[in-house]
Amino acid sequence: MSFRTTADYVEDVSPGSGALPPRARYAASDAKSLSLNGRWRFRLSATADAEDDTFAEPGHDTGDWAEVTVPGHWVLQGHGAPIYTNHLYPFPVDPPRVPTENPTGDHVHVFDLPADWPADGGAVLRFDGVESCARVWLNGTDLGEFKGSRLPHEFAVGHLLRPAGNVLAVRVHQWSAGSYLEDQDQWWLPGIFRDVTLLHRPPGCVLDFFVHASYDHVSGEGTLRVDSDTDGRVTVPELSLDLATGESATVPVEPWTAETPRLYDGVLATEGERVPLRIGFRTVELSGGLVKVNGKAVLFKGVNRHEWHPERGRALDAETMREDVLLMKRHNINAVRTSHYPPHPAFLDLCDELGLWVIDECDLETHGFTEQAWRDNPVDDDRWTPALLDRAARMVERDKNHPSVVMWSLGNEAGTGRGLTAMAEWIRGRDSSRLIHYEGDIDCRDTDVYSRMYAAHAEVERIGRGLDGGTHKRRELPFIQCEYAHAMGNGPGGLADYQRLFEAYDRLQGGFVWEWIDHGIRHPELGYAYGGDFGEELHDGNFVCDGLLFPDRTPSPGLAEYKKVIEPVGFDGDGPGGTVRVTNKQDFADLSELAFEWSYQVEGETVESGSLAVPALAPGASAEVKLPEPPAPHPDGGETQWTVRALLAADTAWAPRGHVVAWGQFPVTARQAPAVAPTARPVRGADRITLGPAAFDARSGALLSVGAVRVRDLRLDVWRAPTDNDNGASWQDDVRHGPLWRTLGLHRMRHRLDAVEAAGDALTVRTRVAPAAREFGLAAVYRWTSDGTRLRLTVSVVPEGDWTVPLPRLGVRFALPAADEVRWFGGGPGEAYPDTRAASMTGRWRSTVDALQTPYVRPQENGARAGVRWAELGGLRVEGDPEFWLTARRWTTEQLDAARHLTDLTPGDAVWVNLDHGQHGIGSQSCGPGPLPRYVLRAEPAEFSFVFSELG
């Protein structure tokens, strides 16, 4: 045998050599298979050719090598470090060349064949994912090399196998020509990160096959044909079908949809193998300018999903993938775009089984070429076209038998060019049963949908109304936001406003929130690490943490908000009239699987509840439902409301009976504002002023206590620790409020005392609040009154000077001695802000101070509760007039602002409380648009009051 010491193939633009043609993947068959996952010997080199190839010879001594787990990434197992960039290539852009410093991992695995491994037939060695370039040997024989990190590659190895002591050697290079095609806003993580499997291929085995299962929504019949490279028969017992491969049959069936994922079990049997099939009958088409499945237009309520685990990176196990799909279903998500590569194939099995629409995206992105105005972009360079076609073929052939896949996506953010057109033409020739997507095709030359990212609400409405212009073809196509509502940090804001547009205009067929999960890496000192935490030369910070799940898969407030916004049942109630209009917002399923219940709250407490009779409405249908007679009103009055819920009537495959699918609330009688008769008078002492239960500093007028409860540093507050959306993205044209707030000094406001006036029935403190070096400010007047037991504060604020920016917040802040439990009547249970409060349910809630905090990977403003009528904590009760936003934490806003990781936050000896009259909206400007104008907190005259009393 001969060995090469050079690695020219690393910089070759071809997809590789030696691999078998791509084919359909199936989860199991009666042929033998052997998983080669597990512990492998590992050696890391600094360059592609630092070591020769003798390590691949049987008998080579690897006893002093390290070990790594396969599937896995070596940089997450103590060898080297991860790198995060959004779109910048972390190496010089000189395609197809890559740096000499090219971390290269040699992997060796020795295995025996099972005793019952058949002696006849061949065998295939399958790699489901290796980043970014691999060369493979078995028992010293060079099998070939490949690129296409998130795509399968197989090699014929039957003639090389031995009963025992088989030596599988794989050399993996971090950088290759393929890296230029994989610039996908994620961690760069080299390694063998998906399964490695040896498959027996008996004589007469199944090779490639294509399940065609269409559905005629007019006749209610499905037509099945299975094309196979090997002749055989297809049986579907439930449908009494027994067909030869290539033969068609049409029978009545129940169709597959994401809402009703009906699968029929079948078998493809050839002379040498039996392969189980899971068949879903459905037809996807572009009809009347809309994406239709089984004759009906669909509304995508989707997410973009990178594969991620905080410890294993993209090496996902079956349990984690199932957890993802279950979480999606339980949060009313119905669609996934597999950004920006085909997922682990088991994920698509789950989408078939549990029901999700899928846009399957090719392993292609060349985003970094934007830095040079797309010059030398591989997708417009004929030399790279074979690699692009190979990637398209490996996606389509692997995934073509999944009913959940309704669109093929050519890739993401790769500019435009001839290579993309070639991919689209090949896909259409191979599979005409699905549509083609690609956001970068602005004129829709190659695509079947008009797709955009982060279009603002106003533009989306113009598109919905057909006023967007563009080519004639584009104007005739449906519109999808393939990315919108950037879920980075606190947010995204504006989801409900987008959803109202999607539901109002037929052309708008929904969108996909960016993205599913924060890509934080678990770190012993930082909690979760993000870009820059590993000493990267170039990085994009915490932009990699932009998901609806925290890294440990805990749902964020953003996911709770999204669940509410996209709920499949709508409630529109007339509380005083005692009726509720129920609307089925689903596309295919009726409401027969749901049960409905009502409850009646007085001052936030449920006093009566029961079941609600709602008909099994067809998709899109509505009905007026009468609520029961409410209980007799309380003699003292009080705020009352109805709450109506839709719940699962029985256990399903994705959630138990009683799981809440949708809810609505409708006020009956309004809240009565707290009243405090000003009967007490301020009394001045030597260094104190007393007023009712309160004591104040005589010189400054500062509140010192309410009864026995000590209070300090109560004053007007306008600053919040900027959210990722406040800080905005550098490429956004809109004003980025976070940096501007800081430039203007809103984080370091000075408080000037102008007067302390104790006269009549009030203590009045006059102040001016303004930043250093600026002439604008806020005149703030605190007016204190009391009825002897309660204390009322009325704050009047008047802007002075030229305010050119909105305020982050407007309210008062103060410190209480250490407190734990918080009780409140208002919105909950989770956080909310002006444009993220759809999921905030009015009721009585309780929490610890610690549990009020939302653990965003990069600390920032969080934890506000909306519409609070009253709150109790630290021995103090606070009532608002009007309702207020409540925040309480064990550190100051300044400490929160300074922290880079949660581990930077240390609880102090006080609880800092914010009672806010107003909060600035959240928006989505970390990548998308900022808050809508109605959620902007403008600097304008305001007056608000709080009533304080000591808890008995």
Side-chain angles (χ1 to χ4, degrees), residues 60 222 268 324 328 342 406 477 626 832 870 885:
H60 186 89
L268 167 61
D324 276 350
M328 290 176 189
V406 295
L477 294 180
K626 182 67 177 174
W870 55 256
W885 306 84

PDB file of all heavy atoms in Angstrom, residues 60 222 268 324 328 342 406 477 626 832 870 885:
ATOM      1  N   HIS A  60      -0.845  -0.039  13.615  1.00  0.00           N
ATOM      2  CA  HIS A  60      -0.203   1.209  14.054  1.00  0.00           C
ATOM      3  C   HIS A  60      -0.515   1.436  15.536  1.00  0.00           C
ATOM      4  O   HIS A  60      -1.662   1.289  15.970  1.00  0.00           O
ATOM      5  CB  HIS A  60      -0.707   2.387  13.230  1.00  0.00           C
ATOM      6  CG  HIS A  60       0.005   3.680  13.523  1.00  0.00           C
ATOM      7  ND1 HIS A  60       1.152   4.070  12.871  1.00  0.00           N
ATOM      8  CD2 HIS A  60      -0.254   4.658  14.433  1.00  0.00           C
ATOM      9  CE1 HIS A  60       1.555   5.230  13.348  1.00  0.00           C
ATOM     10  NE2 HIS A  60       0.709   5.606  14.301  1.00  0.00           N
ATOM     11  N   GLY A 222     -55.921   8.569  -2.111  1.00  0.00           N
ATOM     12  CA  GLY A 222     -54.480   8.690  -2.224  1.00  0.00           C
ATOM     13  C   GLY A 222     -53.950   7.743  -3.271  1.00  0.00           C
ATOM     14  O   GLY A 222     -54.490   6.652  -3.457  1.00  0.00           O
ATOM     15  N   LEU A 268     -41.377  -2.302   2.100  1.00  0.00           N
ATOM     16  CA  LEU A 268     -40.779  -2.521   0.794  1.00  0.00           C
ATOM     17  C   LEU A 268     -39.917  -3.778   0.906  1.00  0.00           C
ATOM     18  O   LEU A 268     -38.951  -3.798   1.674  1.00  0.00           O
ATOM     19  CB  LEU A 268     -39.933  -1.325   0.371  1.00  0.00           C
ATOM     20  CG  LEU A 268     -39.003  -1.513  -0.828  1.00  0.00           C
ATOM     21  CD1 LEU A 268     -39.790  -1.866  -2.083  1.00  0.00           C
ATOM     22  CD2 LEU A 268     -38.163  -0.258  -1.053  1.00  0.00           C
ATOM     23  N   ASP A 324     -37.082  18.452  21.454  1.00  0.00           N
ATOM     24  CA  ASP A 324     -37.298  19.637  20.634  1.00  0.00           C
ATOM     25  C   ASP A 324     -38.674  19.619  19.980  1.00  0.00           C
ATOM     26  O   ASP A 324     -39.417  20.600  20.014  1.00  0.00           O
ATOM     27  CB  ASP A 324     -36.221  19.739  19.547  1.00  0.00           C
ATOM     28  CG  ASP A 324     -34.948  20.404  20.037  1.00  0.00           C
ATOM     29  OD1 ASP A 324     -34.958  20.960  21.151  1.00  0.00           O
ATOM     30  OD2 ASP A 324     -33.943  20.362  19.310  1.00  0.00           O
ATOM     31  N   MET A 328     -41.912  22.077  20.593  1.00  0.00           N
ATOM     32  CA  MET A 328     -42.529  22.838  19.509  1.00  0.00           C
ATOM     33  C   MET A 328     -44.034  22.596  19.461  1.00  0.00           C
ATOM     34  O   MET A 328     -44.827  23.546  19.397  1.00  0.00           O
ATOM     35  CB  MET A 328     -41.883  22.451  18.171  1.00  0.00           C
ATOM     36  CG  MET A 328     -40.464  22.936  18.010  1.00  0.00           C
ATOM     37  SD  MET A 328     -39.751  22.337  16.445  1.00  0.00           S
ATOM     38  CE  MET A 328     -38.038  22.841  16.673  1.00  0.00           C
ATOM     39  N   PRO A 342     -29.529  20.313   6.150  1.00  0.00           N
ATOM     40  CA  PRO A 342     -30.419  19.217   6.522  1.00  0.00           C
ATOM     41  C   PRO A 342     -30.104  18.748   7.946  1.00  0.00           C
ATOM     42  O   PRO A 342     -28.930  18.610   8.322  1.00  0.00           O
ATOM     43  CB  PRO A 342     -30.100  18.133   5.492  1.00  0.00           C
ATOM     44  CG  PRO A 342     -29.525  18.869   4.334  1.00  0.00           C
ATOM     45  CD  PRO A 342     -28.748  20.005   4.935  1.00  0.00           C
ATOM     46  N   VAL A 406     -42.106  19.800   2.807  1.00  0.00           N
ATOM     47  CA  VAL A 406     -42.989  20.373   1.793  1.00  0.00           C
ATOM     48  C   VAL A 406     -42.258  21.337   0.868  1.00  0.00           C
ATOM     49  O   VAL A 406     -42.794  21.716  -0.176  1.00  0.00           O
ATOM     50  CB  VAL A 406     -44.200  21.077   2.434  1.00  0.00           C
ATOM     51  CG1 VAL A 406     -45.079  20.060   3.145  1.00  0.00           C
ATOM     52  CG2 VAL A 406     -43.767  22.170   3.404  1.00  0.00           C
ATOM     53  N   LEU A 477     -46.671  35.448  -6.421  1.00  0.00           N
ATOM     54  CA  LEU A 477     -46.282  34.378  -5.510  1.00  0.00           C
ATOM     55  C   LEU A 477     -46.664  34.690  -4.068  1.00  0.00           C
ATOM     56  O   LEU A 477     -46.773  35.862  -3.677  1.00  0.00           O
ATOM     57  CB  LEU A 477     -44.776  34.148  -5.596  1.00  0.00           C
ATOM     58  CG  LEU A 477     -44.240  33.602  -6.917  1.00  0.00           C
ATOM     59  CD1 LEU A 477     -42.729  33.430  -6.846  1.00  0.00           C
ATOM     60  CD2 LEU A 477     -44.915  32.285  -7.289  1.00  0.00           C
ATOM     61  N   LYS A 626     -72.398  31.098  24.729  1.00  0.00           N
ATOM     62  CA  LYS A 626     -72.892  31.811  25.905  1.00  0.00           C
ATOM     63  C   LYS A 626     -72.174  31.317  27.157  1.00  0.00           C
ATOM     64  O   LYS A 626     -72.080  30.109  27.400  1.00  0.00           O
ATOM     65  CB  LYS A 626     -74.399  31.590  26.052  1.00  0.00           C
ATOM     66  CG  LYS A 626     -75.040  32.315  27.225  1.00  0.00           C
ATOM     67  CD  LYS A 626     -75.016  33.821  27.052  1.00  0.00           C
ATOM     68  CE  LYS A 626     -75.733  34.516  28.213  1.00  0.00           C
ATOM     69  NZ  LYS A 626     -75.576  35.996  28.122  1.00  0.00           N
ATOM     70  N   ALA A 832     -43.090  40.510  30.934  1.00  0.00           N
ATOM     71  CA  ALA A 832     -43.779  41.115  29.798  1.00  0.00           C
ATOM     72  C   ALA A 832     -43.312  42.555  29.649  1.00  0.00           C
ATOM     73  O   ALA A 832     -42.924  43.210  30.631  1.00  0.00           O
ATOM     74  CB  ALA A 832     -45.294  41.074  29.986  1.00  0.00           C
ATOM     75  N   TRP A 870     -51.455  45.603  42.413  1.00  0.00           N
ATOM     76  CA  TRP A 870     -50.763  45.723  43.690  1.00  0.00           C
ATOM     77  C   TRP A 870     -49.704  44.627  43.797  1.00  0.00           C
ATOM     78  O   TRP A 870     -49.786  43.597  43.136  1.00  0.00           O
ATOM     79  CB  TRP A 870     -51.724  45.669  44.890  1.00  0.00           C
ATOM     80  CG  TRP A 870     -52.626  44.466  44.988  1.00  0.00           C
ATOM     81  CD1 TRP A 870     -53.946  44.402  44.699  1.00  0.00           C
ATOM     82  CD2 TRP A 870     -52.261  43.136  45.443  1.00  0.00           C
ATOM     83  NE1 TRP A 870     -54.443  43.142  44.910  1.00  0.00           N
ATOM     84  CE2 TRP A 870     -53.427  42.342  45.380  1.00  0.00           C
ATOM     85  CE3 TRP A 870     -51.078  42.556  45.886  1.00  0.00           C
ATOM     86  CZ2 TRP A 870     -53.444  41.001  45.739  1.00  0.00           C
ATOM     87  CZ3 TRP A 870     -51.081  41.215  46.249  1.00  0.00           C
ATOM     88  CH2 TRP A 870     -52.260  40.459  46.181  1.00  0.00           C
ATOM     89  N   TRP A 885     -45.673  48.572  36.028  1.00  0.00           N
ATOM     90  CA  TRP A 885     -44.749  47.481  35.727  1.00  0.00           C
ATOM     91  C   TRP A 885     -43.886  47.244  36.965  1.00  0.00           C
ATOM     92  O   TRP A 885     -43.320  48.182  37.519  1.00  0.00           O
ATOM     93  CB  TRP A 885     -43.838  47.838  34.556  1.00  0.00           C
ATOM     94  CG  TRP A 885     -44.554  48.261  33.314  1.00  0.00           C
ATOM     95  CD1 TRP A 885     -45.016  49.516  33.020  1.00  0.00           C
ATOM     96  CD2 TRP A 885     -44.889  47.447  32.192  1.00  0.00           C
ATOM     97  NE1 TRP A 885     -45.614  49.530  31.795  1.00  0.00           N
ATOM     98  CE2 TRP A 885     -45.547  48.270  31.252  1.00  0.00           C
ATOM     99  CE3 TRP A 885     -44.677  46.107  31.881  1.00  0.00           C
ATOM    100  CZ2 TRP A 885     -46.010  47.798  30.037  1.00  0.00           C
ATOM    101  CZ3 TRP A 885     -45.133  45.629  30.657  1.00  0.00           C
ATOM    102  CH2 TRP A 885     -45.788  46.463  29.747  1.00  0.00           C
TER     103      TRP A 885
END
